[in-house]
Amino acid sequence: MKAVIMAGGLGTRLRPLTDNMPKPMVPIHGRPAMEYAVMLLKRHGITDIAVTLCYHPKMIMNYFGDGSRFGVHFEYFIEKEPLGTAGSVKQAQEFLDETFLAISGDGITDIHLGKIINFHQKKQAKVTMALTWVEDPTQFGIVITDEDGRIRRFIEKPKPEQVFTNTINAGIYVIEPDVFTYIPDGFYDFSKQLFPSLMSENLPFYGVQAKGYWKDIGTIEQYNQVHTDIKNGKLSHDYKEAM
């Protein structure tokens, strides 16, 4: 299986850390945040990886190179202008010619990717979304599934009065390549555009609860909390060891 790491975000809520560096390069215990995603993919045997870039792309490319020193292979796809999450991934359409996994380049997690992939294959889904639980879901997409795991309700960044669950989109997806036919050229977003479209057309769009540690580093407070959590051993793998 192939993967794509989405690493083009500006990280505006992390300023001043991201004034002169892309969010995936923000250091976490001495490693760029994106390196944790690379390690997670490699741990699950996924080594053929596309990387979508926009903000300060050369900083990421200079650090990671072709991926060989991390035991993986990278292909880079640079947005000349912001294309949104789905639009940026569509740039890698030729490379992503089989079932693939999409993951954020700035989240810290030890979620078992194999369980999500197996669920996706069992359900013969078009898209399967990893789900997790947070105390404050207002900065994320909230999700309700039926007993079979099919996504029935989804709201991106709800207002407090709109919150109907604390289960959220973890930003990790298993996707069939024919989904690209539903993504037009130009700016297009997974959460705000593609997912509502899949639901309106009643396509097999599933969510599966992903057990394990997951933390977005969208704010300075979350960034600091990740450091504390790693130091306290809250991740199931020792990310402090060299690969």
Side-chain angles (χ1 to χ4, degrees), residues 41-163:
L41 291 169
K42 183 186 175 186
R43 186 172 292 117
H44 288 87
I46 302 172
T47 58
D48 213 5
I49 304 169
V51 184
T52 64
L53 304 173
C54 185
Y55 181 59
H56 290 307
K58 288 186 178 180
M59 290 187 69
I60 293 175
M61 295 171 71
N62 289 342
Y63 180 85
F64 288 97
D66 64 3
S68 57
R69 73 186 179 97
F70 303 95
V72 300
H73 168 72
F74 285 138
E75 294 281 346
Y76 294 103
F77 299 86
I78 302 174
E79 302 168 63
K80 293 180 181 178
E81 57 185 33
L83 293 173
T85 49
S88 67
V89 171
K90 185 165 184 176
Q91 286 194 118
Q93 182 173 357
E94 273 190 44
F95 177 82
L96 300 169
D97 56 358
E98 60 186 56
T99 305
F100 65 93
L101 188 140
I103 187 170
S104 171
D106 51 35
I108 306 299
T109 182
D110 59 12
I111 285 173
H112 195 296
L113 301 179
K115 292 181 179 178
I116 302 165
I117 294 166
N118 290 340
F119 181 91
H120 174 87
Q121 293 169 338
K122 180 181 177 182
K123 298 296 182 180
Q124 297 184 319
K126 290 292 186 187
V127 176
T128 298
M129 174 191 296
L131 307 176
T132 191
W133 189 96
V134 296
E135 288 188 8
D136 178 9
T138 56
Q139 296 302 311
F140 307 99
I142 57 174
V143 183
I144 282 185
T145 65
D146 63 20
E147 292 182 358
D148 194 43
R150 196 153 183 154
I151 293 176
R152 296 304 185 188
R153 294 186 70 187
F154 180 89
I155 299 179
E156 179 67 10
K157 294 184 178 177
K159 297 176 182 178
E161 62 271 20
Q162 293 177 306
V163 172

